[in-house]
Amino acid sequence: MDKIIVGLKRVVDYNVRVQVKSDGSGVETDGVKMSINPFDEIALEEALRIKESGAATEVVAVSIGTSESQQQLRTGLAMGADRAILVTVDGDIDPLSIARVFKALAEKESAGLVMLGKQAIDGDNSQVAQMLAALWGRPQATFASGVTIEGDSARVVREVDAGLETVEVDLPAVLSVDLRLNEPRYVKLPDIMKAKKKPLDEMPLADLGIEPGPVIKELQYAAPEGRQRGVTVDDVASLVAALKDKGLV
Amino acid sequence: MTKVLIIAEHDGSALNPSTAKCVSCAAAIDGAEIDIAVLAADTTGIAAEAAELEAVSRVLTIERAENEKPITAKLAPQIAAIAGDYSHIMGPSTTFGKDLMPHVAALLGVNQVSDIMTVENSHTFKRPVYAGNAIVTVEAPAGSTVVATVRVASWQAANGGNSATIAPLDAAAELPMHTRYVSLESAASDRPDLQTAAKVVAGGRALGSEEQFGLIYQLADALGAGVGASRAAVDAGYCPNELQVGQTGKIIAPDLYIAIGISGAIQHVTGIKDAGTIVAINKDEEAPIFEVADIGMVGDLFQILPELIDAVN
């Protein structure tokens, strides 16, 4: 296989406790730390390992967003991606349109694999990989926690509710990756310097001939109903008594 | 006219309880007519179970040898072929539904509403984002099919007692060969299923080893509870991955959740927010899990657990 395309989404860092804006239009992102979606970082790490094993020749990092997503692509290049493509959009873009972007790029680049995080930790949708597989007419293996390339196919271990499922998919294919697939590498300073010289191409969405269709509108954001801190008990007898009171034991 | 098609989740012989929860969600839409599609190699037992669910009009069975295992590449084209005049197509937000439904949505050329918590009207729903730290009200476009997954922890299972019509259906669709099922490795257990158990005992990193995690199983068995775990405990290899509770694991809503040696990262807490009563046992009194616990106990779990197991027994 020649190329692996990896999607990198810019999201609010996973350590940030997000706050809903007072007008309900979204969550506060001003002055908030932004990072690569952690699942996407795992996808990139796996792509790099596949390339290092000799099973692929090039890793292309792709992001779709405003020019600010350059930051995340530069981090991806510093991790080891060979080049990056930023498809620019003005605001938010819906998952189906994102899947169409990846399909267009996968075909243009003749990618052997498209690797994505199993979900983005902002929208928590978990849709793009599955949609891409449908539009592209290629296999999907979602929630991957083990990937082995075997010539023209891949053996993928998937984390499913019942346990660990193994499937075999012909390449090209779409993978979405889960947490336990790998531990992403740390970026070293010389890599950051080197990454500055790697190619990062920008293209507007319209250049791919994609016009977003009807989207699911976000009407209103609200904070979730909170839980209240309850009582503290000092010994097991009180704990059991409290549970008995509630009819739970 | 609201016509909802629910895609049944099953293990090849029995209906998964997530399907009954999807029925409750569909029934929350005014005037909804609800059908369930069962895709399997042998649909007999599964369809009979589905037909018992309250408010279901018809159970449509699509029997094909290729439907023996839940491979999305094979199921989705059949579902798209029967989508026809349904206004809504729903599945559970379990790994089965999460894998399948976005693929179906894309085949139908629409976006998907993920993880419905509440129904406001036929096209307006509430769903969690940012690991449940925000709830957003979303509106699907009028005039196109609504494809959605249902956040199972937000819904009670529909009652039984119905006897809906069961009818075989032919879903003419060509199925690809590019995706092949190999195997499923599952830690067989007689304990209640984590996603539907009324009581769940969960352990975290503080258990310290796979062997010591056995205390969690002992307490669970004493209570007749299911077993869960934090991501840290799974990553450390104390227990299998299917026990993970949280944003990226299972979202559950038992009547009783006992978190033992779990600090309570937001990614974990989002998986248990809908529990009836949360009990936290942790040696660190500053652990964030105590902020959401109804009953908290600070102390050494290796002293507390044996005592608690005795007391319950």
Side-chain angles (χ1 to χ4, degrees):
Chain A
M1 138 176 68
D2 284 346
K3 294 177 197 171
I4 302 176
I5 289 178
V6 179
L8 299 182
K9 186 177 185 185
R10 174 185 168 89
V11 298
V12 173
D13 187 84
Y14 82 103
N15 282 311
V16 173
R17 192 171 273 235
V18 300
Q19 303 290 335
V20 174
K21 285 183 184 170
S22 52
D23 65 358
S25 63
V27 303
E28 200 56 70
T29 51
D30 282 352
V32 167
K33 187 183 176 196
M34 304 295 283
S35 299
I36 298 177
N37 177 41
F39 292 99
D40 298 348
E41 215 176 338
I42 294 168
L44 175 56
E45 175 64 35
E46 196 65 17
L48 295 173
R49 290 183 191 189
I50 292 170
K51 183 192 159 192
E52 286 157 5
S53 78
T57 54
E58 190 181 35
V59 174
V60 184
V62 173
S63 195
I64 301 154
T66 63
S67 58
E68 289 178 306
S69 296
Q70 283 182 9
Q71 282 172 23
Q72 280 64 43
L73 287 173
R74 286 291 171 203
T75 305
L77 292 168
M79 277 179 73
D82 297 290
R83 61 189 170 91
I85 300 170
L86 174 58
V87 178
T88 52
V89 293
D90 292 333
D92 286 340
I93 177 168
D94 60 291
L96 187 62
S97 299
I98 294 170
R100 290 164 69 202
V101 169
F102 277 106
K103 175 179 183 261
L105 293 176
E107 285 173 347
K108 191 166 163 228
E109 302 277 351
S110 303
L113 275 177
V114 177
M115 301 185 66
L116 305 166
K118 77 159 179 178
Q119 72 196 72
I121 59 164
D122 48 5
D124 282 335
N125 272 311
S126 189
Q127 297 182 2
V128 172
Q130 299 88 315
M131 289 179 158
L132 169 59
L135 300 178
W136 196 16
R138 295 305 310 165
Q140 74 186 41
T142 52
F143 325 137
S145 67
V147 177
T148 315
I149 306 297
E150 298 170 332
D152 293 333
S153 65
R155 191 169 269 252
V156 183
V157 180
R158 307 178 54 229
E159 291 205 2
V160 296
D161 290 337
L164 295 172
E165 184 191 88
T166 304
V167 294
E168 193 181 67
V169 295
D170 292 338
L171 302 182
V174 185
L175 304 187
S176 88
V177 308
D178 216 321
L179 287 171
R180 276 173 283 274
L181 181 58
N182 62 48
E183 186 91 28
R185 65 196 65 188
Y186 285 101
V187 171
K188 299 188 199 81
L189 190 61
D191 298 326
I192 296 173
M193 303 309 291
K194 244 192 285 177
K196 288 184 178 160
K197 297 201 185 89
K198 289 184 179 175
L200 193 166
D201 296 326
E202 283 193 30
M203 64 173 84
L205 184 65
D207 280 14
L208 291 168
I210 294 168
E211 255 187 62
V215 300
I216 291 167
K217 270 192 245 164
E218 296 188 333
L219 302 180
Q220 180 80 25
Y221 276 75
E225 282 173 37
R227 289 186 77 103
Q228 300 296 319
R229 180 188 272 262
V231 298
T232 305
V233 295
D234 295 322
D235 51 41
V236 167
S238 317
L239 173 56
V240 174
L243 291 175
K244 275 197 176 133
D245 265 2
K246 290 173 177 272
L248 292 166
V249 291
Chain B
M1 174 89 191
T2 301
K3 283 186 73 179
V4 185
L5 180 67
I6 292 169
I7 312 305
E9 177 173 8
H10 59 82
D11 62 3
S13 55
L15 193 66
N16 187 293
S18 64
T19 305
K21 297 187 171 197
C22 291
V23 170
S24 293
C25 177
I29 303 172
D30 276 345
E33 191 183 310
I34 303 168
D35 290 350
I36 295 180
V38 178
L39 291 83
D42 175 0
T43 58
T44 321
I46 307 160
E49 279 187 75
E52 288 176 16
L53 296 173
E54 194 174 66
V56 173
S57 305
R58 293 186 305 165
V59 175
L60 308 169
T61 58
I62 303 172
E63 242 173 52
R64 284 174 83 145
E66 296 95 325
N67 293 345
E68 190 190 349
K69 299 293 179 190
I71 297 290
T72 284
K74 295 185 193 289
L75 301 183
Q78 301 174 62
I79 296 164
I82 62 168
D85 55 0
Y86 288 99
S87 58
H88 295 64
I89 302 181
M90 290 181 171
S93 64
T94 55
T95 53
F96 164 76
K98 284 180 184 175
D99 188 62
L100 174 64
M101 301 309 290
H103 195 116
V104 172
L107 290 179
L108 298 176
V110 298
N111 276 293
Q112 175 188 275
V113 180
S114 296
D115 305 318
I116 294 177
M117 300 171 73
T118 63
V119 170
E120 306 295 303
N121 62 50
S122 66
H123 285 66
T124 310
F125 312 94
K126 285 188 178 169
R127 63 173 300 260
V129 288
Y130 291 94
N133 286 300
I135 308 299
V136 61
T137 307
V138 296
E139 184 186 47
S144 55
T145 313
V146 178
V147 176
T149 59
V150 174
R151 184 179 183 271
V152 289
S154 297
W155 300 89
Q156 298 287 325
N159 291 326
N162 190 10
S163 53
T165 315
I166 299 176
L169 197 65
D170 188 25
E174 232 178 281
L175 307 185
M177 302 297 291
H178 55 45
T179 308
R180 296 170 291 276
Y181 175 91
V182 177
S183 62
L184 176 67
E185 187 190 312
S186 193
S189 158
D190 295 334
R191 294 188 180 89
D193 177 61
L194 173 58
Q195 263 166 321
T196 48
K199 299 173 190 174
V200 170
V201 179
R205 195 204 307 268
L207 269 301
S209 70
E210 186 180 0
E211 194 191 348
Q212 290 171 164
F213 198 87
L215 286 167
I216 299 295
Y217 294 113
Q218 285 179 35
L219 178 59
D221 291 346
L223 288 164
V227 173
S230 69
R231 178 192 166 189
V234 177
D235 283 356
Y238 302 165
C239 58
N241 67 284
E242 59 263 36
L243 300 191
Q244 185 175 321
V245 172
Q247 180 186 21
T248 62
K250 291 185 173 124
I251 310 278
I252 58 173
D255 299 333
L256 173 64
Y257 184 77
I258 306 183
I260 297 165
I262 291 176
S263 62
I266 48 175
Q267 289 84 3
H268 182 78
V269 168
T270 193
I272 58 168
K273 268 184 186 160
D274 298 311
T277 297
I278 296 177
V279 175
I281 298 172
N282 204 297
K283 70 172 191 299
D284 174 12
E285 61 184 316
E286 303 290 317
I289 191 77
F290 287 120
E291 288 168 29
V292 297
D294 301 284
I295 305 171
M297 183 167 175
V298 180
D300 178 2
L301 67 92
F302 295 109
Q303 282 174 6
I304 295 169
L305 276 185
E307 222 183 300
L308 183 56
I309 292 163
D310 270 356
V312 174
N313 277 330

